[in-house]
Amino acid sequence: MAAEHQAVSLDTLYTAETPEGIALSLRPAGAAARALAYMVDLGVRFGLFMVVSIAAIPLGGMGQGLLLVSYFLLEWFYPVFFELTGSGATPGKRMFGLQVVMDSGLPVTPAAALTRNLLRAADFFPFLYASGLLTMLLRRDFKRMGDLAAGTLVVYADTVALHGQLPDAAATAPTRALAPREQAAIVAWAGRAKRLTPARLDELAQLARSVTPGQGGDATGRLLGVAQWLVGNRHDPRRTGERP
Amino acid sequence: MRVDAIAVELRPRPMWEATDLGVRLVQANARSIWRTWAPVYAVFAILALATVEISPWLPSFLIFWFKPWMDRSILFVLSRAVFGQPTRFADLWAERRSVWGGQLLTTLLWRRFSPWRAFTQPIYQLEGQRGKARRQRRKQLLRQQQGAAGGMHFAFANIEASLTFGALALALWFAPEQMRGDIFDWLVGRGEGSEVLASLCTASVYAGIVLLLEPFYVGAGFAMYLNRRVQLEAWDIEQEFRRAF
């Protein structure tokens, strides 16, 4: 039943297989975040160009030449430069938690970074990146044409952690052996304890009644005990007074 | 509300990633969405285009102004799609009173200006609270999310502009070299020939782009709303619990 749900459940994940045959789940990024990141980069590039202009204009004819060269470099190599640094992201992309990787999950190669950025011209067609945006909206992996040609993927580098520390509770063994997925769910539930209202926490605990020993009483407390037992704190911290 | 019946994988996501889930939801349910929404929109768009006789700018303005009202039909389809339910036009027709008639004035007046209307729309349309409870609910959902919700709105506004200008630019690309200037002048209403026809032409292009893009915008806002409920109410845990136990 659980596997069946898993199969139909909709998600944005992109599965990449490593040479060792391990399936990696990448989280590709789509049009909204990337359009905003692009606008930030546009601003940064414009700022840099202004700085160069102020320095170059007093130099007369040579200054004009320098200005044109710097415009060319900023237009074509600004993204390449930043994508090949450690974070694999331009300042705009970093701001939105994005990163460019190969679609195998490996860091982006120089050739791929160059290809995907030179093909921005194709994505720009006919005007203002209309075709790039359209492919990002219509493809499951949100690739633009440059990404398709270079075999790259823009992914989210940031993760969100909603769980905090598990609240203290006397460890109790569950009534039956739990599948890994069930264990993960219970520990994740306990980690959310500080974010949720007690009523909501208890409402969720009621759903897992079948694994807590004993009937009635405090469902939250019992399930918190099971969570403590699952993470390995198998003695009562209140009795021994020590924290493992 | 049966959280376990939700056919979308709930997990804590950054808000930007949630917008992509919305795009994916629209892709996966494209048939349901466009076969339900397109007829409603087509009728409205034709009526709007007919107003070109009154003033050349009116058709585009009307389409723009009534978008929040049309979004309600899209959200109706999407709210069923998250439960894996396909939608036909007949389903929308059966609910026409609440979808088309509900909250008509607020949708067309001050909510029109909300920079996060796609994010808050599910509160108004799906949660069914009223008065003070609804205001509090809206405040709770929006807390610290204005940046993300407004940013998503801004991004889609730009995507819409980009696609509209892109489509118009395509006409120029395909025009014979020596006629390009004339066609450009004509499109912006400066050239010779009928101004009404030029306005009709640009308004139809805009109408076409809205037909294509609006579901993605509504979907992105809806997915952000779902993600917010994961944050506030641990819907992802409930989904896991109901599947596992």
Side-chain angles (χ1 to χ4, degrees), chain B residues 65-125:
Chain B
W65 195 268
F66 276 79
K67 275 200 280 183
W69 177 74
M70 292 183 290
D71 290 352
R72 291 177 65 91
S73 305
I74 303 173
L75 187 63
F76 171 74
V77 183
L78 287 175
S79 66
R80 294 161 54 100
V82 287
F83 293 105
Q85 252 181 308
T87 309
R88 296 179 159 277
F89 186 75
D91 301 316
L92 178 63
W93 185 250
E95 294 288 326
R96 63 187 182 278
R97 267 172 183 282
S98 67
V99 177
W100 296 344
Q103 303 159 352
L104 200 57
L105 275 181
T106 47
T107 307
L108 291 179
L109 293 176
W110 55 90
R111 235 180 275 158
R112 169 63 260 194
F113 298 105
S114 162
W116 33 72
R117 61 186 166 84
F119 179 59
T120 50
Q121 192 191 349
I123 308 171
Y124 297 112
Q125 194 178 335

Side-chain angles (χ1 to χ4, degrees), chain B residues 27-73:
Chain B
Q27 288 172 354
N29 294 280
R31 255 179 82 90
S32 282
I33 290 167
W34 273 283
R35 83 178 160 190
T36 310
W37 183 59
V40 187
Y41 179 68
V43 169
F44 177 79
I46 288 167
L47 289 176
L49 288 174
T51 62
V52 74
E53 291 282 354
I54 303 170
S55 180
W57 53 266
L58 202 53
S60 301
F61 178 77
L62 280 178
I63 290 169
F64 166 78
W65 195 268
F66 276 79
K67 275 200 280 183
W69 177 74
M70 292 183 290
D71 290 352
R72 291 177 65 91
S73 305

